[in-house]
């Protein structure tokens, strides 16, 4: 496959690619964006919109380097819009490319005349029918994959890209490697169906290659291409120069259409028979090849790029006016210019109305008024999104208003259900909102509290302190005598939102229990002290009695002892 899919590492699930994809060719699976190849028209809008710049196309520069290193004959076919990018250095491009290793360097423009001649046949048709040019591969993909009813309106002619590849193979041999260098990412896709082109690199990839080789244009001289075209270089904007390209006696009007929006609107106009007898020169990129998907956005305007091509073209007229190159005349006469187109349309499965309603309900769309069609998910309507969900290309979580509402509802339920007191205070220290628990504590409704200075309920100095010091207050115990309550509060300042968040626990009951417990402890201590005092009095009384009896006992024993002694002396 010529392209990579979105990087899982870099994909941030932002849906930017989905919103810009004109044909809804990107699906979301497991919060990962993925290109649906059978629907993709290779316009590169997704890459341009991706904030992570997920590069989808694989560079074929390594393939070209491989050809060069193998000493093969490598021929560069470079689109005329190269001058829009390289400006005053355009005449040095042949020298630079040969320095990079190309054997021959030619302008794709040398193969343009046969294509224009074929277009002229359709311009002169007297059939009142509308036709679409087939130079832009994204337009071809758009019709084949999404508007198959218009396949018969595509002019069945190959592009100059393919025509030049075929004549190069005949001129330099079938073994020669043809490398197309152009402004279009879609040519990488087209080359899969064109055997005459071996590799495609974009102008952006060429610029990167030149930078990697540290090439300075100042080191190179101006030189001519190996096949000189006498064709006007304004080919990137054919329809704006129809008097130059086509005879003025044409039967059909030739109209330029560029940009995805106008191209799709024009296609619908053709389908609905609102226009007739017109040749539409369609380019899916805005400003056509001047702002192609393979050109880096360097800030240059379409006007500046147009002037670059015009200046280059005028200089070529002066340099090559006396030179003729008929080397391709005979080959061109033998090249098959016809191309067949076929339907690649894969219709989406259509859900029944019941199935559709069930999907819509899963996205919070219970009534028509809920289908706001905001296009944030990348689909035009909520019903289109529901069809994509039915086909497995989308997920209900892609509905951003629904996801946001769901998240807000959850947050509101949590804030409403929590027993914590929660308040929001603005930078001017006025109340924005109280949750139900705070309203109940302060005996006030939200409408009554809203806009009231916070000092009416709380100490505003602490709020100001938090903002001034940038230090949040955590678990600060306060007693509110007016409300006969005790709170443990937290005050948090949100700099980004310029608001205070006040969260408090009502610990009044706990404080009352603590006081009662403290009182009980004191009473218990007092009771213990009384018991101890009484015990001490009893002890003292016992001691007194014991003292008296002990004295009496001693006197008696003394008398008894004396009596015994007297008897012994007798």
């Amino acid at each position: 496959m010529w392209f990579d899919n979105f990087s899982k590492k870099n994909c941030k699930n932002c849906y930017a690619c989905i919103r810009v994809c004109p044909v809804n060719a990107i699906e979301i699976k497991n919060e990962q964006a993925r290109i649906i190849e059978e629907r993709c028209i290779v316009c590169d809008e997704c890459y341009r919109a991706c904030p992570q710049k997920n590069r989808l196309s694989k560079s074929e520069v390594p393939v070209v380097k491989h050809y060069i290193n193998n000493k093969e004959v490598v021929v560069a076919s470079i689109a005329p819009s190269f001058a829009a990018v390289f400006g005053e250095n355009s005449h040095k491009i042949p020298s630079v490319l040969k320095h990079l290793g190309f054997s021959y360097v030619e302008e794709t423009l040398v193969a343009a005349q046969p294509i224009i001649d074929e277009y002229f046949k359709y311009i002169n048709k007297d059939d009142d029918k509308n036709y679409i040019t087939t130079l832009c591969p994204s337009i071809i993909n758009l019709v084949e994959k999404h508007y198959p009813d218009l396949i018969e309106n595509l002019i069945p002619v190959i592009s100059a890209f393919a025509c030049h590849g075929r004549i190069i193979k005949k001129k330099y041999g079938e073994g020669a490697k043809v490398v197309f260098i152009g402004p279009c990412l879609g040519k990488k896709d087209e080359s899969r169906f064109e055997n005459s082109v071996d590799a495609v690199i974009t102008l952006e990839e060429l610029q990167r290659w030149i930078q990697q080789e540290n090439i300075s244009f100042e080191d190179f001289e101006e030189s001519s291409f190996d096949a000189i075209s006498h064709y006007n270089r304004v080919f990137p904007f054919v329809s704006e120069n129809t008097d130059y390209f086509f005879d003025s006696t044409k039967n059909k009007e030739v109209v330029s259409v560029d940009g995805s929006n106008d191209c799709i609107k024009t296609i619908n106009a053709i389908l609905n028979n609102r226009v007739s007898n017109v040749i539409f020169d369609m380019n899916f990129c805005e400003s056509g090849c001047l702002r192609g998907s393979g050109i880096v956005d360097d800030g240059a305007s379409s006007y500046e790029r147009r002037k670059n091509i015009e200046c280059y073209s005028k200089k070529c007229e002066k340099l090559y006016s006396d030179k003729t190159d008929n080397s391709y005349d005979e080959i061109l006469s033998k090249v098959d210019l016809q191309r067949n187109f076929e339907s690649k349309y894969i219709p989406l499965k259509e859900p029944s109305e019941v199935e559709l309603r069930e999907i819509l309900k899963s996205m919070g769309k219970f009534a028509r008024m809920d289908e706001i069609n905001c296009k944030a998910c990348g689909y035009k309507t909520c019903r289109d999104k529901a069809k994509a969900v039915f086909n497995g290309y989308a997920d209900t979580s892609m509905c951003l208003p629904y996801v946001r509402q769901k998240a807000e509802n959850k947050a509101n339920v949590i804030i409403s259900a929590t027993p914590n007191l929660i308040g929001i205070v603005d930078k001017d220290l006025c109340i924005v909102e109280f949750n139900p628990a705070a309203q109940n504590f302060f005996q006030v409704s939200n409408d009554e509290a809203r806009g009231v200075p916070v000092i009416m309920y709380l100490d505003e100095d602490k709020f100001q302190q938090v903002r001034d010091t940038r230090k949040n207050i955590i678990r600060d115990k306060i007693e509110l005598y007016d409300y006969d309550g005790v709170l443990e509060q937290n005050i948090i300042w949100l700099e980004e939102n310029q608001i205070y968040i006040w969260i408090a626990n009502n610990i009044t009951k706990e404080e009352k229990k603590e006081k009662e417990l403290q009182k009980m402890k004191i009473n218990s201590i007092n009771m213990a002290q009384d018991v101890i005092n009484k015990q001490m009095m009893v002890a003292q009384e016992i001691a007194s009695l014991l003292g008296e009896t002990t004295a009496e006992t001693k006197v008696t024993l003394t008398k008894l002892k004396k009596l015994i002694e007297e008897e012994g002396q007798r």
Side-chain angles (χ1 to χ4, degrees):
M1 190 181 294
W2 64 269
F3 70 88
D4 287 319
N5 233 306
F6 296 102
S7 165
K8 290 184 179 180
K9 179 180 179 181
N10 291 335
C11 188
K12 301 302 180 184
N13 207 26
C14 67
Y15 308 142
C17 54
I18 299 177
R19 284 193 289 274
V20 299
C21 182
V23 291
N24 300 126
I26 298 173
E27 66 176 349
I28 296 293
K29 287 286 182 69
N30 299 320
E31 299 186 348
Q32 170 67 42
R34 189 185 75 85
I35 294 174
I36 307 169
E37 187 179 357
E38 58 268 22
R39 294 181 62 83
C40 178
I41 62 173
V42 199
C43 65
D44 209 33
E45 290 292 332
C46 51
Y47 168 68
R48 294 176 182 179
C50 178
Q52 301 298 319
K53 290 303 173 204
N54 270 316
R55 169 46 74 191
L56 303 179
S57 61
K58 291 180 180 178
S59 174
E60 294 182 69
V61 170
V63 176
V64 178
K65 288 182 178 179
H66 175 74
Y67 295 151
I68 293 171
N69 293 335
N70 279 0
K71 307 299 181 182
E72 299 188 59
V73 175
V74 185
V75 184
S77 169
I78 189 165
S81 51
F82 83 94
V85 174
F86 290 100
E88 59 185 14
N89 291 317
S90 298
H91 283 277
K92 297 180 179 182
I93 285 297
S95 298
V96 170
L97 290 175
K98 288 187 176 179
H99 176 77
L100 289 172
F102 287 93
S103 310
Y104 303 96
V105 182
E106 298 188 0
E107 283 187 283
T108 314
L109 200 60
V110 299
Q113 187 60 58
I115 309 301
I116 295 300
D117 290 342
E118 288 298 312
Y119 281 176
F120 192 59
K121 294 176 184 178
Y122 285 85
I123 289 172
N124 272 333
K125 279 194 172 188
D126 188 17
D127 58 2
D128 206 38
K129 187 176 177 180
N130 300 300
Y131 291 97
I132 301 171
T133 60
T134 49
L135 296 173
C136 176
S138 292
I139 291 297
I140 295 172
N141 282 328
L142 181 67
V143 172
E144 287 187 326
K145 294 183 178 182
H146 298 277
Y147 298 94
D149 291 342
L150 289 184
I151 286 178
E152 62 178 16
N153 298 84
L154 293 174
I155 299 176
V157 177
I158 62 174
S159 63
F161 146 91
C163 182
H164 194 209
R166 293 178 186 184
I167 60 179
I168 287 175
K169 291 284 189 180
K170 292 183 182 296
K171 180 179 179 179
Y172 297 103
E174 290 297 327
K177 300 298 182 183
V178 178
V179 180
F180 176 74
I181 304 172
C184 180
L185 187 67
K187 291 297 183 184
K188 290 179 181 284
D189 182 50
E190 185 179 350
S191 67
R192 295 190 298 165
F193 311 101
E194 180 52 54
N195 294 329
S196 66
V197 179
D198 298 287
V200 173
I201 62 176
T202 64
L203 291 172
E204 179 181 357
E205 290 168 344
L206 175 60
Q207 285 179 294
R208 195 181 303 122
W209 186 7
I210 291 172
Q211 291 171 356
Q212 289 171 348
E213 297 293 334
N214 295 318
I215 290 175
S216 173
F217 282 95
E218 295 179 358
D219 298 332
F220 292 86
E221 298 291 331
E222 294 184 354
S223 62
S224 62
F225 289 94
D226 291 301
I228 299 171
S229 172
H230 296 286
Y231 219 59
N232 193 307
R233 266 80 180 174
V234 294
F235 189 71
F237 26 100
V238 174
S239 52
E240 297 179 22
N241 298 273
T242 53
D243 290 339
Y244 173 84
F245 289 104
F246 308 114
D247 191 286
S248 58
T249 59
K250 48 189 176 291
N251 289 332
K252 294 182 185 291
E253 182 182 5
V254 181
V255 176
S256 174
V257 182
D258 65 89
S260 60
N261 193 38
D262 263 2
C263 286
I264 292 175
K265 285 182 177 180
T266 300
I267 282 176
N268 284 316
I270 296 172
L271 283 171
N272 294 318
N273 299 315
R274 299 201 304 268
V275 293
S276 62
N277 208 38
V278 180
I279 295 283
F280 290 103
D281 178 35
M282 285 195 186
N283 289 282
F284 204 79
C285 293
E286 187 178 348
S287 298
C289 296
L290 295 178
R291 308 195 73 81
S293 55
I295 295 179
V296 66
D297 186 0
D298 57 2
S301 65
S302 297
Y303 171 78
E304 292 170 290
R305 289 178 176 169
R306 188 187 307 271
K307 293 300 291 184
N308 284 342
I309 292 179
E310 290 175 352
C311 291
Y312 173 73
S313 181
K314 289 177 182 178
K315 190 171 182 179
C316 285
E317 289 176 10
K318 293 180 181 179
L319 290 175
Y320 309 136
S321 60
D322 58 342
K323 296 181 181 180
T324 58
D325 187 349
N326 301 317
S327 59
Y328 276 160
D329 288 354
E330 184 178 350
I331 297 175
L332 281 171
S333 64
K334 298 178 181 179
V335 172
D336 181 11
L337 301 176
Q338 298 303 304
R339 176 179 176 179
N340 295 321
F341 301 102
E342 60 182 12
S343 174
K344 298 176 183 176
Y345 177 62
I346 301 176
L348 295 177
K349 294 181 292 183
E350 288 291 330
S352 66
E353 184 62 25
V354 173
E355 291 170 322
L356 192 66
R357 291 302 317 161
E358 286 303 312
I359 295 172
L360 288 168
K361 286 179 182 178
S362 70
M363 297 188 295
K365 319 293 182 186
F366 297 96
R368 277 284 185 179
M369 62 183 295
D370 297 325
E371 299 174 28
I372 59 177
N373 303 325
C374 67
K375 303 180 183 178
C377 62
Y379 293 88
K380 292 181 180 178
T381 68
C382 295
R383 287 179 168 255
D384 288 341
K385 161 69 180 305
K387 289 179 183 178
V389 172
F390 182 78
N391 282 271
Y393 292 153
D395 193 282
T396 54
S397 63
M398 290 165 57
C399 182
L400 299 185
Y402 170 62
V403 171
R404 180 180 176 182
Q405 182 183 16
K406 191 175 179 182
E408 288 177 348
N409 287 343
K410 285 183 178 179
N412 289 336
V413 168
I414 292 171
I415 292 173
S416 298
T418 181
N420 292 335
L421 284 64
I422 300 176
I424 300 174
V425 179
D426 64 24
K427 63 180 181 178
D428 297 320
L429 299 177
C430 291
I431 294 167
V432 176
E433 188 174 352
F434 273 154
N435 78 329
Q439 294 174 44
N440 184 58
F441 179 83
F442 292 114
Q443 293 298 299
V444 63
S445 69
N446 235 340
D447 290 337
E448 292 171 332
R450 193 174 290 118
V452 174
V454 73
I455 196 174
M456 297 295 292
Y457 302 97
L458 300 162
D459 182 1
E460 69 172 10
D461 291 340
K462 292 192 175 183
F463 285 82
Q464 193 62 52
Q465 173 192 330
V466 167
R467 184 175 179 182
D468 293 341
T469 62
R470 295 298 192 271
K471 291 183 180 179
N472 297 327
I473 290 176
I474 305 297
R475 302 187 69 177
D476 175 39
K477 187 184 292 186
I478 58 173
E479 190 164 357
L480 302 177
Y481 299 102
D482 291 342
Y483 301 99
D484 191 24
V486 181
L487 304 178
E488 188 177 69
Q489 69 175 359
N490 304 281
I491 303 175
I492 302 166
W493 168 250
L494 302 181
E495 181 69 30
E496 185 177 347
N497 305 94
Q498 293 288 291
I499 59 171
Y500 298 91
I501 300 296
W502 176 74
I503 305 173
N505 294 326
N506 187 348
I507 59 174
T508 305
K509 290 182 180 179
E510 288 81 351
E511 282 295 303
K512 286 182 178 179
K513 286 182 180 179
E514 182 66 27
K515 287 181 179 180
E516 289 175 0
L517 182 60
Q518 189 69 19
K519 186 177 180 180
M520 288 175 64
K521 287 179 179 179
I522 292 172
N523 291 337
S524 297
I525 291 171
N526 290 335
M527 289 174 66
Q529 187 66 48
D530 290 341
V531 171
I532 291 170
N533 290 337
K534 287 179 179 179
Q535 287 178 339
M536 288 180 68
M537 290 175 64
V538 170
Q540 288 174 355
E541 289 177 3
I542 293 172
S544 178
L545 290 171
L546 285 173
E548 289 178 7
T549 56
T550 301
E552 290 175 357
T553 302
K554 184 176 181 181
V555 170
T556 302
L557 288 175
T558 302
K559 288 180 178 181
L560 181 61
K561 180 180 178 183
K562 188 175 180 181
L563 180 62
I564 292 172
E565 286 177 349
E566 288 177 354
E567 287 181 357
Q569 290 177 358
R570 289 178 188 170

